[in-house]
Amino acid sequence: RTKINLEIGRVLTLLQNNGYAYAKKEEVKVANIFSTNPNIANKVDVELFFNTGELYYFGTTNVKIAKNKYDITQSYIKRSLEYKEGDTYSRRKMESSQRKILSNAIIESASFDIDSNSSGDKLDINVNISIRNKYEITPEVVGYMIGNRFYGGLGVSFYDRFFLNGSRVFNISLRGLANSVKYNRLENTAQ
């Protein structure tokens, strides 16, 4: 039964990645074979039935950005899409587009839904985006071994997750380190 369910999942994935967005399993027929022939005595025939539905293509992609206080444009989000309007529908392309969008540090969440008002053989896609704070200040407690001496200290880091209005992260840190009154350091890094 487990192998049959894995095969059903494999076939459905194959159909949904090749245009059949609403493909589903209809029924499974398992027939025992009764025979005195030892080669087929303990065998069963398995028939899988699927309803593929219609062949669909990607339609318009509508991007909605909640609380867009940093003026992120729809074209910035659409650059990360793995599909174009008119391509054959593929669930795998939608999922890889979602992962690519989420790789931007400013994006907190992204969900893709098929628009229920889609008509014909085009499936319109709704992309709902929520963004996180662009700026973050983080306190740090650090410890380093430098020159065979242990240095402990405190620091602060500043992050800009949408640096120069792109998918770049700017980070600057300032740390004060001390081993003793005689040995201390100040460290500054920027990335």
Side-chain angles (χ1 to χ4, degrees):
R1 180 175 291 210
T2 302
K3 289 183 179 181
I4 291 171
N5 287 334
L6 286 172
E7 183 63 14
I8 289 168
R10 186 189 72 79
V11 171
L12 284 175
T13 299
L14 186 69
L15 289 169
Q16 291 172 350
N17 287 333
N18 287 288
Y20 299 98
Y22 300 112
K24 59 184 175 183
K25 172 190 70 124
E26 286 291 312
E27 65 177 305
V28 177
K29 289 185 182 178
V30 180
N32 290 333
I33 300 173
F34 297 101
S35 175
T36 56
N37 182 345
N39 292 333
I40 60 172
N42 296 319
K43 305 280 183 182
V44 293
D45 284 338
V46 178
E47 290 182 75
L48 304 175
F49 295 91
F50 295 89
N51 179 358
T52 61
E54 301 294 320
L55 179 65
Y56 289 100
Y57 301 92
F58 284 109
T60 305
T61 301
N62 304 307
V63 178
K64 295 177 187 140
I65 303 172
K67 298 179 184 172
N68 190 4
K69 57 187 171 184
Y70 305 118
D71 295 326
I72 297 171
T73 63
Q74 287 190 15
S75 62
Y76 175 78
I77 300 297
K78 287 183 177 183
R79 276 193 316 222
S80 299
L81 297 177
E82 297 283 325
Y83 61 87
K84 296 185 295 280
E85 187 174 339
D87 286 354
T88 303
Y89 174 83
S90 172
R91 192 171 90 194
R92 180 179 37 83
K93 286 184 180 180
M94 267 191 2
E95 290 169 353
S96 66
S97 296
Q98 184 178 20
R99 283 191 299 273
K100 196 171 179 183
I101 288 170
L102 287 172
S103 69
N104 290 299
I106 192 75
I107 306 297
E108 185 168 42
S109 68
S111 65
F112 282 64
D113 300 315
I114 296 173
D115 191 342
S116 58
N117 297 325
S118 299
S119 61
D121 63 349
K122 302 273 188 189
L123 293 177
D124 295 333
I125 308 297
N126 293 327
V127 180
N128 296 306
I129 303 288
S130 66
I131 56 176
R132 60 175 46 120
N133 286 333
K134 179 179 177 179
Y135 305 110
E136 179 181 330
I137 297 176
T138 307
E140 300 174 338
V141 176
V142 294
Y144 294 114
M145 283 296 285
I146 303 172
N148 216 19
R149 288 189 180 97
F150 178 78
Y151 288 84
L154 300 173
V156 65
S157 288
F158 170 78
Y159 294 92
D160 181 348
R161 289 194 170 91
F162 198 56
F163 187 61
L164 298 176
N165 293 329
S167 57
R168 294 173 287 275
V169 177
F170 175 72
N171 175 12
I172 189 165
S173 300
L174 181 64
R175 298 178 182 110
L177 306 170
N179 171 272
S180 64
V181 175
K182 184 177 178 183
Y183 298 105
N184 52 55
R185 293 177 170 232
L186 185 63
E187 179 181 77
N188 183 20
T189 59
Q191 298 176 327

